[in-house]
Amino acid sequence: MSQKVRTRMAPSPTGEYHVGHIATLLKNYAWAKHNGGDFILRIEDTDQVRKVDGAVEKILSVIKDYGLDWDEGPEKGGPFGPYVQSERLEIYKEAAQQLLDNDQAYYCFATPEELTELRDRQRAEKLPPKYDGRYREYPKEEALKRVAAGEPYVIRLKVPKDVTVTFTDLLRGGISVESSNVDDQVLMKSDGFPTYHLAVIVDDHAMGITHVLRGEEWISSTPKHVLIYKAFGWEPPIYAHIPVFLSPDGKGKMSKRKGTVSAQSFLDSGYLPEALLNFFMILGWAHPDQKEILTLDEYIKYFDPKDISSKSVVFDVQKLQWLNGVYIRNLTDEELLDRLQPFIPADCSQEKAKEILPLIKERMATLSDFEAHTSFFYRNVTIDKEILTKKSTPEIVQEQLEETSHAMSNLESWSEEKLEEAIRSLQQNKDWKTKQYFMMLRYVVSGSAATPPLFSMISVLGKKLVLERLSAARAIL
Ligand code: GLU
């Protein structure tokens, strides 16, 4: 490829950034890097009605929190700036003027009421909603007079009649659409802002974008885009439309209604960004050796958009949890403690957290699991008599607790090894049922049946607390 590969992601600040956006951004990023090219970030904020305050800042920060970055764009600048569409209005105005001058576009004065009436009529006649071209042949001098008089107008593309619009999608091959099915779309709105369709083409062209990898939901816009490129006499980029994720329940697309889709919320619930990126890499794409744990560099080396599956894949949360667990266990205890900071509850001291960590690392799927796995180390536990005496009798359990307290009180060292030695020999000497006794002991010291290994847990809990819990349990018998 002689031309330098330039890809882009073009978020609209209309709300939360989704995991699907990050997954698509990652692909654009990787393809640029694979080819030694550039990845551009551009803010598409021409929809003044749907624009949400503060959304741009959030999008930029979540992209960075996922460990990704851009070569040109907001905060960084670059040779093709500005990279925020609302700062490029003059450029779109000139571009629209160029199309008007070449008779590829025209002024339309249809009022919103007229257009609603048209749509209602079409609906009643069971016709697809479509602009009827009522100003397509309107005399230019008349139009200019009305514009000069300050009448509101939009500028529409004069879609050529009876041509076949063709483009190639890297995942799907050739796609053709008859121009009779394409609306004379609005390029400039009455508020002087361009539509997404005009702005995206003007900018992708001006910024030298060679490949557009974007969500499948844009595929129906692509024929319109190709027509706009034609009207300007420009070459369109290469397109790949990425299938949307299917909801983990297997029923349809992943959506806000069915659970969270926000990119930020996955970080907030304790998924590591590198695990999330790895997950996005292998959703709908496979490494040549089917390797599942991949660094960003390995992905960049092998990724090619044409290998992305054209079928939607399920956002498999269990797989994500597994991957996250792998990444958690690959961290050193110090690194993990550092990552855990936002998830450590206020009543757990740093020293305690540090001591507990090696005991639970194996079982953590997300960082937010910390509290559920560890609260009995620093919070009171409640013991239920029925569970306490399960598979035994109150008398036997009373004796077991008494003897255990005694043996523990006499211990010189509270090390895991010494504890294990003393408790195991007590159990053997007394001939207590192994399973019942150890389950009971686990329950008494933790209030739970699922815990870290018994002796290391008792050791970290500390002598004082363990003896207190043993005597509290005796009191309820
Ligand atoms: N601004 C569009 C969006 O919000 C960009 C679509 C595209 O990539 O062309 O997703």
Side-chain angles (χ1 to χ4, degrees), residues 8 10-12 21 44 196 200 204 212-215 217-218 225:
R8 51 70 166 177
S12 294
H21 290 133
E44 299 202 329
Y196 154 70
V200 78
D204 281 347
V212 168
L213 317 183
R214 62 180 173 191
E217 66 274 23
W218 298 104
H225 295 178

Side-chain angles (χ1 to χ4, degrees), residues 250-465:
K251 294 183 194 134
K253 290 179 194 169
M254 193 175 174
S255 73
K256 218 174 184 168
R257 240 176 344 105
K258 295 182 188 162
T260 184
V261 288
S262 114
Q264 184 63 48
S265 73
F266 280 82
L267 297 177
D268 294 345
S269 51
Y271 290 99
L272 300 175
E274 56 271 44
L276 283 156
L277 289 187
N278 193 150
F279 179 59
F280 300 147
M281 291 172 197
I282 59 172
L283 273 184
W285 177 86
H287 179 274
D289 300 330
Q290 310 292 318
K291 237 179 123 180
E292 295 211 294
I293 308 289
L294 295 174
T295 62
L296 189 52
D297 284 343
E298 277 174 297
Y299 179 60
I300 289 170
K301 185 166 171 203
Y302 292 106
F303 175 69
D304 187 326
K306 72 173 174 24
D307 299 331
I308 301 171
S309 161
S310 61
K311 291 202 188 71
S312 288
V313 281
V314 173
F315 192 91
D316 182 350
V317 177
Q318 272 165 4
K319 181 139 205 174
L320 173 59
Q321 288 184 347
W322 166 75
L323 267 172
N324 205 50
V326 171
Y327 275 86
I328 285 179
R329 284 180 278 289
N330 278 344
L331 296 174
T332 63
D333 289 354
E334 290 69 43
E335 287 166 338
L336 181 54
L337 188 65
D338 193 44
R339 301 287 195 100
L340 268 172
Q341 287 307 315
F343 300 91
I344 298 177
D347 52 354
C348 175
S349 70
Q350 285 297 316
E351 297 76 58
K352 196 82 245 140
K354 202 170 164 184
E355 263 187 300
I356 301 170
L357 208 51
L359 304 189
I360 60 153
K361 199 169 167 184
E362 271 311 306
R363 293 191 303 133
M364 279 175 89
T366 65
L367 300 179
S368 57
D369 286 346
F370 182 83
E371 187 169 354
H373 282 319
T374 62
S375 68
F376 64 86
F377 281 103
Y378 43 87
R379 279 182 208 151
N380 290 337
V381 297
T382 38
I383 300 295
D384 175 85
K385 187 173 169 182
E386 212 161 299
I387 304 176
L388 181 63
T389 55
K390 210 165 140 195
K391 302 230 158 65
S392 188
T393 65
E395 293 70 32
I396 295 177
V397 173
Q398 184 65 264
E399 187 206 344
Q400 290 175 329
L401 290 172
E402 192 182 335
E403 296 285 346
T404 307
S405 292
H406 188 69
M408 284 182 171
S409 310
N410 290 339
L411 274 179
E412 304 251 308
S413 150
W414 196 252
S415 73
E416 192 182 324
E417 297 72 29
K418 291 283 173 218
L419 276 161
E420 176 153 14
E421 210 178 281
I423 301 298
R424 281 203 192 280
S425 67
L426 177 65
Q427 180 258 328
Q428 278 156 17
N429 291 343
K430 296 284 177 185
D431 207 18
W432 290 326
K433 284 188 276 178
T434 319
K435 201 162 173 212
Q436 174 273 328
Y437 172 63
F438 285 115
M439 285 297 286
M440 185 280 296
L441 192 54
R442 179 184 300 278
Y443 178 60
V444 166
V445 298
S446 70
S448 156
T451 70
L454 183 64
F455 300 106
S456 40
M457 169 172 73
I458 292 178
S459 169
V460 170
L461 278 164
K463 190 167 187 173
K464 183 168 169 284
L465 189 57

Side-chain angles (χ1 to χ4, degrees), residues 8-14 17 21 24 28 42-46 50 85 196 200-201 204 212-215 217-218 221-222 225 239 241:
R8 51 70 166 177
M9 193 68 187
S12 294
T14 51
Y17 216 44
H21 290 133
T24 300
N28 279 288
R42 181 175 71 228
I43 301 297
E44 299 202 329
D45 60 347
T46 56
R50 294 181 55 221
Q85 289 188 329
Y196 154 70
V200 78
I201 270 66
D204 281 347
V212 168
L213 317 183
R214 62 180 173 191
E217 66 274 23
W218 298 104
S221 296
T222 308
H225 295 178
Y239 288 103
H241 292 89

